[in-house]
Amino acid sequence: MQKTIISVQNLVKRYGDFEAVKGISFDVYEGEIFGLLGPNGAGKSTTLEIIETLRPKTSGSIVVNGINLDEAPNDIKKIIGVQLQSSGYYPNLNLTELIELFAGLYNRSVNALELLDTVNLRDKAKNKYKELSGGQKQRFSIATTLINDPSIIFLDEPTTGLDPQARRNLWDLILDIRKKGTTVIITTHYMDEAEILCDRVAIVDAGRIIALNTPDQLIDELVATGFERPKEVKKANLEDVFIHITGKALREE
Ligand code: ADP
Ligand code: MG
């Protein structure tokens, strides 16, 4: 039996007259990677930010690790890790200074170098945030989600805009974090990524969940309807060609 770590019931979010989230319900299990998929404007970020206690909901109930969001939002904050938008970083501080700054906000002491090691950025410890490549910035922002040793981390499109090598590198990092027992909620527009990373996915469209299952089950259900891909699929795709000829090594360092 899976233990539920996040329970969302009938969540509604209105911005003025516009209903962005139209009564969605889902559970996230402890230790899983749960994906929220859906076109732009579906309500994914709104849903995440409400669970993260960063945005007020209109109605519905949210319980995170037994804590009711209406009763003790600050207790939820203590056990989650949230990726900041990059504009939230002081561009002129180096990575060690930024980690120490965040640790101070959490009232924690952390070994900055050890933390940078987990995201493969130890050799950038004295570099400023603005000097990092796109992939390095994403890895750094994931490191900042781990400062308070959270039970759950939230990643909103962590791989958008990355090159194929950096994207794969981030997959390994996310899988490592899950292996240590952390629950991960992620949004992505890359279905290959969701298929590789996510134990279960919810597909959200226009504020409603229209499917929720393991990627494998969702694919089997589609195939069972008689669906077939229109063309014979080749044994490789262009991304395979790209990775084969450029290698898997990260290029940014
Ligand atoms: P997603 O992350 O799935 O792309 P969002 O949750 O960001 O979707 O947005 C869902 C809908 O809510 C969109 O139509 C968006 O324009 C609208 N929206 C998001 N934030 C606000 C806001 N602060 N005020 C008004 N409308 C908003
Ligand atoms: Mg979004």
Side-chain angles (χ1 to χ4, degrees), residues 14 37 48 60 71 77 108 115 133 148 192 218 228 238:
R14 266 183 232 117
L37 313 179
L48 290 192
E71 289 160 16
K77 274 193 189 115
R108 292 247 179 181
L115 185 62
S133 70
N148 59 335
D192 60 336
L218 289 171
E228 270 181 62
L238 188 57

Side-chain angles (χ1 to χ4, degrees), residues 129-163:
Y129 176 76
K130 66 180 181 189
E131 294 165 353
L132 302 180
S133 70
Q136 289 167 341
K137 282 182 174 152
Q138 283 296 354
R139 294 212 300 279
F140 180 71
S141 74
I142 290 178
T144 65
T145 70
L146 300 174
I147 286 173
N148 59 335
D149 197 20
S151 309
I152 309 163
I153 62 168
F154 294 81
L155 306 174
D156 198 352
E157 296 189 37
T159 61
T160 293
L162 297 185
D163 72 34

Side-chain angles (χ1 to χ4, degrees), residues 226-246:
F227 178 91
E228 270 181 62
R229 286 200 176 160
K231 271 196 302 203
E232 175 83 3
V233 178
K234 293 186 186 179
K235 286 182 179 164
N237 62 23
L238 188 57
E239 182 144 334
D240 295 325
V241 172
F242 182 89
I243 290 290
H244 184 75
I245 63 180
T246 63

Side-chain angles (χ1 to χ4, degrees), residues 38-46 48-49 85 156-157 187 189:
N40 282 327
K44 306 179 297 295
S45 298
T46 297
L48 290 192
E49 287 168 14
Q85 303 296 318
D156 198 352
E157 296 189 37
T187 72
H189 288 303

